[in-house]
Amino acid sequence: MKKIGLVTILVLISFATMSQQKRILSLQECIEIAVENNLSVQRSELNLQSAEVNLLQSQAQRYPTLNANGNYGYNWGRGIDPTTNQFTTQRINFNGVSASSSMPIINGLQTTNSIKQSKLNRDASQYDLKKSINDISLNTALNYLNVIFNKELLENAKFQLESSQQQLDRTKKLVESGALPISNELQLVSQVATNEVALVNAQNNLDLALLALKQSLLLQPGQEIDIEIPEIDIDQAEIENSRIIDIYNEALSQMPEIQSADLRVKSADLGLDVSKGGMFPTLNLSGSMSTNYSDAFKDFAIINATPSGLSPTVFETASGEAIFEQEFDFELQESTVPLSTQYDNNLSKRLTLSLNIPIMNGFRTRSDIQRSKIALQQAEIASTEQRNILYQTIESSYRNAVAAAKTFSASQRQVESLEETFRAVENQYNNGAANFTDYQVASNNLFQARTDLSRAKYDFVFKQKVLEFYQGKALTF
């Protein structure tokens, strides 16, 4: 007995020591940590960022495009001089710069509708992010309540062990005085050992529940946690006075998955308008400027010109005398036309207004329209499906909450009845009017009833919180 009691004390001391090193968290803190660390939420945040980028890109389609280009290189062998468009076989060093711009004027409202569609997709992604947060919050609340439930079971196991230990101490004294046989003491020793095993199992279950909560929070390895035990009010009248259709109508305006599905329908409808815009003419304004340079473009100058004599020409004067022309000796100086001069001389400008009228394009536009119609129908089906899922979930949650409330009430009455039965059997056992089997049965029944009551209580609390959540209420106790 001393050995068993010492083990129990050491276990309890160990639990107390560990709890001093743990981080104590409230439900709200757990939800905040889970939302911050959860990968699904992070993925939804990235999807939202991507939708915002798509919106920015759609809005930018309204503005002109502007692009600049440049080139620099050498050409060997037969080629074309880019400044004279003449064939040449010499090595040419060339470069050029250009700039172009274009702006849509009319495009069947495709740009406008694309911007509206991108805004709707962005808003839908925001609701998808809220849906991810809601899912994580519900899962965290369930794990949190599971920890509270196992804590209560642990307290029940401790109470059961203490009760058996106290009964063993009384029985031991009675055996020593000869009032009871030694078999009663041995049976209680077995009962105490059984209760100690139940205590260890309850502690293991609590540790597993804490582990599940910790894993859902994605905390750093080595971080130990515990939770605050809130005051939980149980209001069965709220469930009894609620109607499924009222909860469902409130949820339609509260649940982000419904808002997201509706926005996806509107987005698909605008996508259809975008596809239809491909059937209308488009008008674009574009302009460009370009110039180039080549070292093959030469400039020639006459230098050192001196008279070298006269030579007759084919012309004569009126009197028949020959006309002579002055001849010169000179040198021809060759030089490359400067870069700035070539850029000025080769500058080209263009302004174009282009009209495109679609007539036949391999049924591409019509195929896009058909695909957009299908996408719209799929979005409508998804919206209807989300409403059906929401109603079915609320209906199931309501039925489960009503059943849990009834189970909780029945469990309360059962515990009250078994507590009275146990007290009566315990008094009879102490007075020798009942045997150990009766005492053990009454004790085990009470312990099981308390366990069932705890399970029923927290099952009802969670289902009630789920219904409140669908009504837009915060997950708090």
Side-chain angles (χ1 to χ4, degrees), residues 215-319:
Q215 290 177 341
S216 68
L217 302 183
L218 295 177
L219 294 175
Q220 294 296 327
Q223 175 69 63
E224 298 298 330
I225 64 170
D226 204 346
I227 65 169
E228 295 178 359
I229 305 298
E231 293 292 334
I232 299 178
D233 297 327
I234 298 179
D235 186 7
Q236 295 174 266
E238 183 177 355
I239 296 295
E240 296 172 355
N241 296 329
S242 300
R243 294 196 312 160
I244 296 176
I245 189 63
D246 294 335
I247 300 174
Y248 172 70
N249 289 332
E250 291 183 14
L252 284 178
S253 60
Q254 297 289 339
M255 291 298 100
E257 57 266 34
I258 301 299
Q259 308 299 325
S260 175
D262 290 345
L263 289 176
R264 299 290 182 192
V265 172
K266 295 179 180 179
S267 173
D269 191 28
L270 282 171
L272 177 59
D273 292 337
V274 171
S275 298
K276 290 180 178 178
M279 301 179 65
F280 296 94
T282 59
L283 183 65
N284 291 287
L285 178 65
S286 61
S288 64
M289 295 178 62
S290 65
T291 187
N292 52 41
Y293 163 86
S294 171
D295 63 358
F297 190 16
K298 303 296 183 179
D299 190 13
F300 298 92
I302 297 174
I303 62 175
N304 299 326
T306 58
S308 60
L310 298 175
S311 61
T313 66
V314 296
F315 301 102
E316 296 179 346
T317 63
S319 59

Side-chain angles (χ1 to χ4, degrees), residues 117-327:
Q117 185 181 28
S118 296
K119 287 181 179 179
L120 291 174
N121 290 336
R122 188 270 314 272
D123 295 341
S125 296
Q126 289 177 335
Y127 284 114
D128 291 340
L129 175 59
K130 292 180 181 179
K131 173 64 165 57
S132 297
I133 294 175
N134 287 345
D135 292 341
I136 298 305
S137 299
L138 279 174
N139 184 64
T140 303
L142 176 60
N143 289 330
Y144 192 91
L145 282 174
N146 192 38
V147 172
I148 298 176
F149 166 63
N150 281 281
K151 279 181 173 290
E152 190 161 311
L153 291 188
L154 179 62
E155 293 301 319
N156 291 342
K158 289 179 181 178
F159 175 80
Q160 186 76 0
L161 177 59
E162 291 172 0
S163 177
S164 298
Q165 186 66 56
Q166 292 172 1
Q167 186 63 35
L168 176 60
D169 293 339
R170 288 194 296 267
T171 301
K172 186 176 179 180
K173 294 177 181 179
L174 292 173
V175 170
E176 290 175 352
S177 65
L180 289 176
I182 189 64
S183 59
N184 286 29
E185 179 181 349
L186 295 176
Q187 290 171 332
L188 277 169
V189 169
S190 175
Q191 180 66 34
V192 169
T194 300
N195 292 340
E196 284 186 333
V197 171
L199 176 63
V200 172
N201 290 335
Q203 182 63 55
N204 290 338
N205 292 334
L206 174 58
D207 292 340
L208 292 174
L210 282 168
L211 177 61
L213 176 61
K214 176 184 172 182
Q215 290 177 341
S216 68
L217 302 183
L218 295 177
L219 294 175
Q220 294 296 327
Q223 175 69 63
E224 298 298 330
I225 64 170
D226 204 346
I227 65 169
E228 295 178 359
I229 305 298
E231 293 292 334
I232 299 178
D233 297 327
I234 298 179
D235 186 7
Q236 295 174 266
E238 183 177 355
I239 296 295
E240 296 172 355
N241 296 329
S242 300
R243 294 196 312 160
I244 296 176
I245 189 63
D246 294 335
I247 300 174
Y248 172 70
N249 289 332
E250 291 183 14
L252 284 178
S253 60
Q254 297 289 339
M255 291 298 100
E257 57 266 34
I258 301 299
Q259 308 299 325
S260 175
D262 290 345
L263 289 176
R264 299 290 182 192
V265 172
K266 295 179 180 179
S267 173
D269 191 28
L270 282 171
L272 177 59
D273 292 337
V274 171
S275 298
K276 290 180 178 178
M279 301 179 65
F280 296 94
T282 59
L283 183 65
N284 291 287
L285 178 65
S286 61
S288 64
M289 295 178 62
S290 65
T291 187
N292 52 41
Y293 163 86
S294 171
D295 63 358
F297 190 16
K298 303 296 183 179
D299 190 13
F300 298 92
I302 297 174
I303 62 175
N304 299 326
T306 58
S308 60
L310 298 175
S311 61
T313 66
V314 296
F315 301 102
E316 296 179 346
T317 63
S319 59
E321 296 178 352
I323 297 176
F324 294 85
E325 64 180 358
Q326 181 70 50
E327 293 184 349

Side-chain angles (χ1 to χ4, degrees), residues 320-343:
E321 296 178 352
I323 297 176
F324 294 85
E325 64 180 358
Q326 181 70 50
E327 293 184 349
F328 294 87
D329 291 331
F330 61 89
E331 294 180 12
L332 194 62
Q333 187 180 43
E334 179 183 296
S335 62
T336 301
V337 178
L339 176 69
S340 59
T341 302
Q342 289 197 43
Y343 272 9

Side-chain angles (χ1 to χ4, degrees), residues 362-377:
F363 291 97
R364 180 175 57 83
T365 301
R366 293 187 180 275
S367 297
D368 290 341
I369 293 174
Q370 292 301 319
R371 281 191 289 266
S372 297
K373 288 181 178 179
I374 294 173
L376 175 59
Q377 293 174 353

